Amino acid sequence: MINKIIGSMNELSFEEQSKYHIEKVYVKNEDLAKRLHHLVSDHNREISILLEKGNHLHVGDIIEKTEKNLLIVDVLNEDVLVIYPSSMRQMGIIAHNLGNRHLPAQFTENAMIIQYDPVAETYLCENKFTYQRENRRVESPFRYMRHRHDK
C-alpha cells in the first residue's frame, strides 16, 4: 500500500530522469482528486494507493522509487470538447450557458475545455460556435462546484 507521494518528475532534470526505468500507473482524469486507488501499472503490477485526507494525485507524481526504478502517475486521455470563442463576449455567452449546466471547465490562453457532453455539443453546434471534439490528455482534474439553487 502506497500512502505518500515521494516527489514529482517536474523536480528532476531530463538527465536525472534518464537514469531510471519508468513504470507508470494511469489514472482517469476524474480520479486524480480521489485519495484511494486500486490500479494496474503498465508492467501489469497491482498498485494500491491511499493518501492522507486532503491529498490527491497529480500527473508526474513519483509514488515509488528504488535505485533504478521510478513508479509515476500519468493520466489517461479524456473525451473533451475544446471550444474556441471568437471574442470575450462570445466567451461570456458560452460560459454562462454551459455554467447553467454546471459543467466544470478548464481554460488555456485561447480555449475553454469541458468533458464531452452531448447536450453541450448540440448547443455549440446549433449556435455555430467553433469547437472540436478531441481525445486529449488533461493533467488537472475537472472539478464540480458545489451548488444549490434552492437558497
Side-chain angles (χ1 to χ4, degrees):
M1 174 72 70
I2 294 170
N3 55 20
K4 69 177 186 173
I5 297 163
I6 297 170
S8 173
M9 291 295 281
N10 297 332
E11 298 166 353
L12 302 178
S13 69
F14 179 75
E15 196 173 275
E16 289 174 299
Q17 290 179 27
S18 65
K19 294 178 183 177
Y20 293 96
H21 171 77
I22 305 294
E23 181 179 5
K24 293 183 179 184
V25 289
Y26 289 92
V27 181
K28 290 180 183 176
N29 174 283
E30 62 198 38
D31 291 342
L32 283 172
K34 294 180 180 179
R35 296 176 36 228
L36 177 62
H37 302 268
H38 299 290
L39 307 165
V40 177
S41 76
D42 62 354
H43 290 51
N44 210 30
R45 190 164 58 113
E46 291 185 17
I47 308 292
S48 292
I49 302 168
L50 178 59
L51 300 175
E52 291 181 14
K53 189 174 183 177
N55 292 336
H56 62 88
L57 296 175
H58 302 87
V59 172
D61 280 348
I62 301 168
I63 55 176
E64 188 178 86
K65 182 178 180 179
T66 66
E67 191 175 308
K68 297 181 181 182
N69 300 306
L70 293 177
L71 176 61
I72 66 167
V73 174
D74 207 343
V75 70
L76 295 168
N77 285 354
E78 180 90 13
D79 189 10
V80 297
L81 295 173
V82 183
I83 306 160
Y84 301 97
S86 62
S87 66
M88 191 65 153
R89 181 179 188 282
Q90 191 178 83
M91 176 61 142
I93 291 167
I94 294 168
H96 174 75
N97 284 290
L98 295 179
N100 279 338
R101 295 190 36 76
H102 303 285
L103 298 174
Q106 295 184 18
F107 299 88
T108 67
E109 195 65 33
N110 63 346
M112 177 180 183
I113 304 167
I114 61 171
Q115 290 172 307
Y116 177 75
D117 179 274
V119 175
E121 184 176 36
T122 299
Y123 165 76
L124 294 167
C125 186
E126 287 176 351
N127 288 282
K128 298 179 177 28
F129 294 127
T130 304
Y131 75 95
Q132 287 180 289
R133 184 174 177 182
E134 296 181 10
N135 192 19
R136 179 186 267 208
R137 187 171 184 259
V138 182
E139 293 189 9
S140 300
F142 284 99
R143 295 185 186 258
Y144 287 88
M145 299 296 291
R146 290 191 172 96
H147 61 278
R148 289 184 61 180
H149 288 288
D150 59 349
K151 283 189 170 184

